[in-house]
Structure formats: structure tokens, C-alpha cells
Amino acid sequence: MQDQPLAYMQGLNNASHEVFLSETLGRELHLFIRLPESYGTAGETSPVLYLLDGGHTFPMLASYYRYLVFAEEIPEMIIVGIGYGADGFNDGNTRGADFTAPSPERAHFGGAGKFQAFFRDELLPHIETLYTADPERRIIFGQSLGGQFVLYSAQTDPELFWGRIASNPALHRNLPFFLSVRPANASGKLFVSSAAEDEPQFREPAIAWIKHWTAEVNLPWKLKTLSIPGHGHFSAAPEALRQGLKWLFEGERPR
């Protein structure tokens, strides 16, 4: 007899899945949602952490998040993973378009504006209607090209999220955009990390971004940057999340 294996995985309990049809994008996305153990406490709202590449990051980071809550390093929050249900472009994974600013090197790059509109007009209202989500505590996490989208959002619509974590942002095909675009208004907190052992094609543009913006005065966000020792391009994601969330909630007592 088969049963439901997630029922025995405490790190992923309180998790659900839905297929979301986006009118903005004209296609379906998979949403993976994990509610905190204290969810439903009268009168309380929860921060929401949005994970890009949710098909990979949600099972890994939603479980890791529970350890961080046990250790009282971070507060409880709602976690929402946004995924494609596939890895290949021909199978429906359009992250190469959705997460990117235009690039002369890749014709399919440049869909980040539309993907951001999906967040603003569809996904955020959907989550904040269904759940007791705090609209003043929206957080987005992205790794690699997902990290590029986090920076795109910070540099084009800083008020959309309270906190942003960009892990190993992949800027090797359109770095000039990210060195030149400055938002008209100032808002939010931005954490940007680069793994010390990341591949040079990713590491060098990320360091160029960090050097450029940390040299600026009157930054449009509260900015924290970090080089993570001992990690490469993919292994750094959990530590980037941990360090980013601890910094975002610094001075706040976890509950």
C-alpha cells in the first residue's frame, strides 16, 4: 500500500501545492507553500519568503528553514516556492527569459519585466488574499539567474519587496545593465552574496557589481554584501539564505 511520504518529513510538513495559471505570462506555474507551525495565531500576520526555482529550492530550503527556526536564528514565516515542473526549456522551464534583463548575447533574455509584473499583479495579491501574509515583510530569494532577477527587481521596483537575497547572481551576459540602472526611489534591504569558489564567469561579474554599488553614496537600498568561503556556485545557496535572513531580521526577536 502506498502512502503520502511528505506526512513523515517533518521538514516539509504543512506544505501544499497548487498549479497557478498566470494571465500575465500566459502559462502555468507550480506553487509550493509551507505554513509556519504557529500559523493561524489570532491577529498575527507572517513574513513571506518567495523562493525562485522552487522545484529545487523549496524542498531544500524550506526544510533548512525549519532548522534555523529551531535554533531561533530567524522568525517563522510563510514560504512560497515558484517552480516550472521541469528543468529543460523545451519542457517549460523558462527561467532563462523570466529572470533576465535583455542581453545582446541571448535572444531569449529580457523577460524580467513581465515576470515582475506577474509578481506584482497576480502572485502577491493571490498569496496575501489566501493567507495571513504581511505585505510589509515580503522577501525574495534567488540563486544564479534567480539572483539576477532579485537584482533586477531591486534596481527597477525597490518597493515591491521589503527584503531581497541574491545568491551568486549570474550577470555574465548583461552586466552593463546592472551597473547603470538606478531606481528613482529608495526602499528595502538588499543582501548580495558571492561564493569564494564560484566559477570565474559568475564570480567576476558579481564582484564587479558589488564593487560598483558599495562605492556609491546615497544607495537606494540598505545593502549588505558577503563573500562566502568554501562554497561554489550551487552549494552556497543554503548559507546565503541563512546569512541573508539573519541580516534582514537583525535586531528583531524571533517568535
Side-chain angles (χ1 to χ4, degrees), residues 11 18 28 43 82 122 135 141 145 147 164 177 217 220 235 255:
E18 67 171 284
E28 294 179 341
I82 304 100
E122 296 185 276
F141 172 90
L145 284 183
R164 293 174 169 88
F177 176 93
V217 294
S235 68
R255 61 172 175 81

Side-chain angles (χ1 to χ4, degrees), residues 211-235:
K211 287 182 177 179
H212 173 83
W213 286 103
T214 54
E216 289 277 319
V217 294
N218 299 321
L219 283 172
W221 342 267
K222 185 177 180 181
L223 176 64
K224 170 74 172 179
T225 65
L226 182 68
S227 181
I228 299 180
H231 282 283
H233 191 63
F234 291 104
S235 68

Side-chain angles (χ1 to χ4, degrees), residues 92-112:
N93 188 322
T94 56
R95 68 191 296 273
D98 291 342
F99 298 167
T100 56
S103 167
E105 300 180 24
R106 288 289 186 270
H108 65 275
F109 270 31

Side-chain angles (χ1 to χ4, degrees), residues 27-85:
R27 47 189 160 81
E28 294 179 341
L29 292 165
H30 293 268
L31 303 182
F32 310 97
I33 300 155
R34 187 193 192 282
L35 301 178
E37 275 65 29
S38 65
Y39 183 79
T41 303
E44 292 190 357
T45 58
S46 300
V48 184
L49 170 62
Y50 294 89
L51 302 174
L52 299 178
D53 289 314
H56 290 286
T57 59
F58 182 85
M60 173 174 60
L61 298 179
S63 296
Y64 185 49
Y65 144 87
R66 195 162 190 249
Y67 266 8
L68 299 180
V69 171
F70 282 158
E72 297 185 346
E73 293 192 43
I74 62 171
E76 289 190 326
M77 60 193 74
I78 298 167
I79 301 180
V80 179
I82 304 100
Y84 297 96

Side-chain angles (χ1 to χ4, degrees), residues 236-255:
E239 184 61 11
L241 181 74
R242 173 177 175 264
Q243 294 287 351
L245 289 176
K246 287 182 66 176
W247 176 72
L248 289 175
F249 290 99
E250 191 173 37
E252 298 187 25
R253 186 178 180 85
R255 61 172 175 81

Side-chain angles (χ1 to χ4, degrees), residues 164-175:
R164 293 174 169 88
I165 304 171
S167 171
N168 290 332
L171 308 175
H172 54 303
R173 300 195 186 280
N174 48 17
L175 178 62

